[in-house]
Amino acid sequence: MRKVVKFGGSSLASAEQFKKVGNIIRADESRRYVVPSAPGKRFSADTKVTDLLYKCYRAAEKGQSDFDSILSEIKGRYQDIINGLELSMSLEEEFQMIEENFRNHAGEEYAASRGEFLNGKIMAEYLGYEFVDAAKIIRFDGEGQFDMEMTNRLTREYLKNKENAVVPGFYGAMEDGTVKTFSRGGSDITGSIVAGALDVDLYENWTDVSGFLVTDPRIIDNPQVIDTITYRELRELSYMGATVLHEEAIFPVRKAGIPINIRNTNAPEDAGTMIVEDTCKKPAFTITGIAGKKGFCSLFIEKSLMNAEIGFGRKVLQVLEEQGISFEHIPSGIDTMTLFIHQDEFAEKEQQVIAGIHRAVNPDFMELETDLALVAVVGRGMRANRGTAARIFAALAHANVNVKMIDQGSSELNVIIGVRNEDFETAIKAIYDIFVETRI
Ligand code: ASP
């Protein structure tokens, strides 16, 4: 068994946290390839090293006087970890090089990537593993797009015969050596890429929560942890926001058929959440998760004989496309269709969109409704269970929530419900209550 293990910033924010990580890695010899993030926050008001690096680089670019003080704050963060781990290493040479490159304007992405680079150096020294610079194996093409083929080849070449190694997360390089980063939180992507390229058995992603929760803990106190979720369900629950796992981290492992296990560095005995392609394990509560978001608006369009007018939908959607607006859902009736759109995105272009639709399809009537929320109830268990929808809507009716829209995908994996913003929390509580608390 071989695993890639990725540790997030909060798992590596201090020497204390590093020690926990060391124990986790040493407890299982299949944890062979380690992908570290940069040191994150040690307490809630703290600053992530990545943010300090961006700030430091901006100061260097503008020739500001606080450059030295920010750089020494960053040095201090790493030195504290080195001291706390009682390592005899020094990052002096690396910092000299970084300072020089900052002053020569090596680029913001180079700057940000040093967080992972330096943490990787410490991690390699601490574990006695070989350090492999991600710039050597994670490749971007001339346009700055991630080059999967080249990356896979290089990763295999460099790592295949290594017993173990540390590969810093978040960045790679173009062929000419220019460093590129993924978007924020991108160490998750590196871990997934390395796991996929080496075709390991499992990608463990260690963070500061014990997995995905059935719903948002800001709405429900201590919600249950999801033990197993499929990739598809996870996508449907993407309204949860990318706080646990970067959205783009799914693709490389999914393609290679490798599961992801989300684990908690601060509670390593917890099994966490397994993310898998498919499973015959029944979800504990019929539904796997409930997620949602406020801040949508709906645009209702009515036109007699809409159903017979070929190209009607295309023309409407083309208007959105021309304005660069994406839509969330389009429930429709025989002579009606309703577009659900992010309100802030829509607000900027509303008059152009409305005028554009008038021009394109000449509707009989249009009506805009604002301040709506969408709730997604997701679960592979729905398909096999009767009465799931009845339970959802009975719960909402009892909670006095007016349902504005219902959309069930034909995959029977999700039911999306539109409610007013002010009913959002009540709706989630009611659904959680009926499926998880009372389990009826
Ligand atoms: N350090 C980077 C960030 O803060 C990447 C990561 O942690 O995954 O976004």
Side-chain angles (χ1 to χ4, degrees):
M1 178 108 152
R2 292 179 316 148
K3 294 178 187 168
V4 167
V5 286
K6 179 259 166 181
F7 291 88
S10 59
S11 302
L12 298 168
S14 63
E16 219 64 40
Q17 290 298 89
F18 254 81
K19 285 181 191 166
K20 291 184 194 169
V21 168
N23 290 339
I24 290 166
I25 295 170
R26 290 187 198 106
D28 177 353
E29 60 181 31
S30 64
R31 293 182 176 135
R32 290 177 40 179
Y33 306 103
V34 182
V35 176
S37 277
K41 293 184 181 191
R42 294 159 295 181
F43 41 89
S44 63
D46 200 11
T47 310
K48 290 179 175 191
V49 165
T50 309
D51 291 314
L52 289 176
L53 285 161
Y54 280 122
K55 196 167 150 205
C56 186
Y57 185 70
R58 278 194 296 273
E61 260 190 335
K62 293 187 189 141
Q64 284 167 348
S65 55
D66 54 352
F67 171 76
D68 288 327
S69 70
I70 309 171
L71 190 64
S72 63
E73 190 180 342
I74 297 168
K75 283 185 190 169
R77 291 287 293 269
Y78 287 103
Q79 200 53 50
D80 283 351
I81 296 173
I82 292 173
N83 296 344
L85 297 176
E86 294 172 40
L87 299 175
S88 58
M89 72 186 296
S90 158
L91 292 174
E92 202 41 53
E93 250 175 58
E94 282 81 359
F95 270 111
Q96 258 168 30
M97 172 86 108
I98 289 170
E99 184 168 350
E100 200 179 306
N101 289 335
F102 272 35
R103 292 197 190 278
N104 292 332
H105 300 176
E108 197 176 50
E109 298 190 36
Y110 164 80
S113 75
R114 296 305 88 183
E116 273 67 12
F117 175 83
L118 295 166
N119 233 16
K121 289 267 172 180
I122 299 178
M123 177 66 91
E125 179 76 17
Y126 180 53
L127 295 172
Y129 283 12
E130 190 171 327
F131 174 83
V132 176
D133 189 353
K136 289 197 181 126
I137 59 174
I138 307 288
R139 270 298 156 82
F140 292 83
D141 66 19
E143 262 94 61
Q145 295 298 318
F146 172 61
D147 185 339
M148 176 81 121
E149 222 172 280
M150 181 68 107
T151 298
N152 281 347
R153 197 167 59 70
L154 291 169
T155 304
R156 284 179 200 133
E157 242 171 62
Y158 269 87
L159 295 178
K160 204 138 206 181
N161 299 319
K162 294 202 196 316
E163 213 19 58
N164 34 48
V166 173
V167 181
F170 190 38
Y171 72 94
M174 305 209 289
E175 212 184 339
D176 66 0
T178 309
V179 169
K180 295 250 353 132
T181 55
F182 295 110
S183 54
R184 295 299 302 266
S187 298
D188 285 343
I189 310 175
T190 310
S192 180
I193 291 168
V194 174
L198 298 179
D199 204 13
V200 296
D201 302 281
L202 184 65
Y203 171 30
E204 284 182 348
N205 189 297
W206 291 81
T207 174
D208 52 9
V209 288
S210 292
F212 282 98
L213 301 172
V214 170
T215 195
D216 190 335
R218 287 167 301 186
I219 300 174
I220 300 287
D221 279 340
N222 275 324
Q224 298 276 342
V225 174
I226 300 172
D227 57 34
T228 308
I229 188 169
T230 65
Y231 284 117
R232 262 203 218 112
E233 287 175 307
L234 190 59
R235 273 301 292 155
E236 294 293 346
L237 286 172
S238 59
Y239 289 114
M240 284 204 195
T243 45
V244 181
L245 185 72
H246 195 295
E247 265 189 352
E248 291 165 43
I250 289 177
F251 177 66
V253 271
R254 186 176 181 184
K255 204 166 163 254
I258 301 166
I260 306 176
N261 189 193
I262 306 289
R263 299 286 293 264
N264 188 350
T265 301
N266 304 317
E269 59 293 343
D270 290 354
T273 300
M274 283 295 281
I275 312 171
V276 298
E277 180 64 45
D278 213 348
T279 175
C280 56
K281 282 194 198 140
K282 295 234 162 44
F285 318 102
T286 308
I287 58 158
T288 303
I290 313 159
K293 220 181 200 168
K294 291 182 182 176
F296 292 92
C297 61
S298 69
L299 182 62
F300 173 80
I301 307 168
E302 188 175 36
K303 188 177 184 190
S304 297
L305 300 175
M306 183 192 288
N307 65 322
E309 189 174 326
I310 291 171
F312 188 95
R314 178 186 56 73
K315 287 179 205 156
V316 170
L317 296 184
Q318 192 165 354
V319 175
L320 294 187
E321 187 179 344
E322 279 161 11
Q323 297 301 329
I325 293 179
S326 61
F327 66 90
E328 265 335 273
H329 297 281
I330 326 180
S332 62
I334 190 143
D335 286 338
T336 63
M337 77 190 273
T338 309
L339 305 169
F340 276 78
I341 307 170
H342 284 276
Q343 192 161 322
D344 47 1
E345 232 179 287
F346 184 72
E348 278 174 35
K349 307 266 180 72
E350 59 177 19
Q351 297 313 318
Q352 291 94 309
V353 173
I354 291 170
I357 292 177
H358 268 290
R359 240 175 276 129
V361 293
N362 191 25
D364 299 335
F365 178 68
M366 277 207 278
E367 191 175 36
L368 189 59
E369 186 163 2
T370 57
D371 302 321
L372 299 173
L374 292 173
V375 176
V377 186
V378 175
R380 59 189 184 279
M382 283 186 195
R383 197 187 289 191
N385 275 298
R386 257 175 281 171
T388 310
R391 276 185 280 166
I392 295 173
F393 295 110
L396 293 175
H398 278 119
N400 241 335
V401 172
N402 185 14
V403 174
K404 312 283 300 176
M405 189 272 294
I406 304 169
D407 188 352
Q408 180 183 354
S410 53
S411 61
E412 289 187 67
L413 196 65
N414 62 357
V415 178
I416 313 274
I417 302 146
V419 298
R420 300 206 56 81
N421 272 348
E422 68 240 34
D423 287 335
F424 178 66
E425 285 84 4
T426 314
I428 289 190
K429 278 187 193 135
I431 299 168
Y432 185 84
D433 198 51
I434 200 133
F435 285 102
V436 181
E437 296 292 355
T438 51
R439 289 204 205 195
I440 53 166

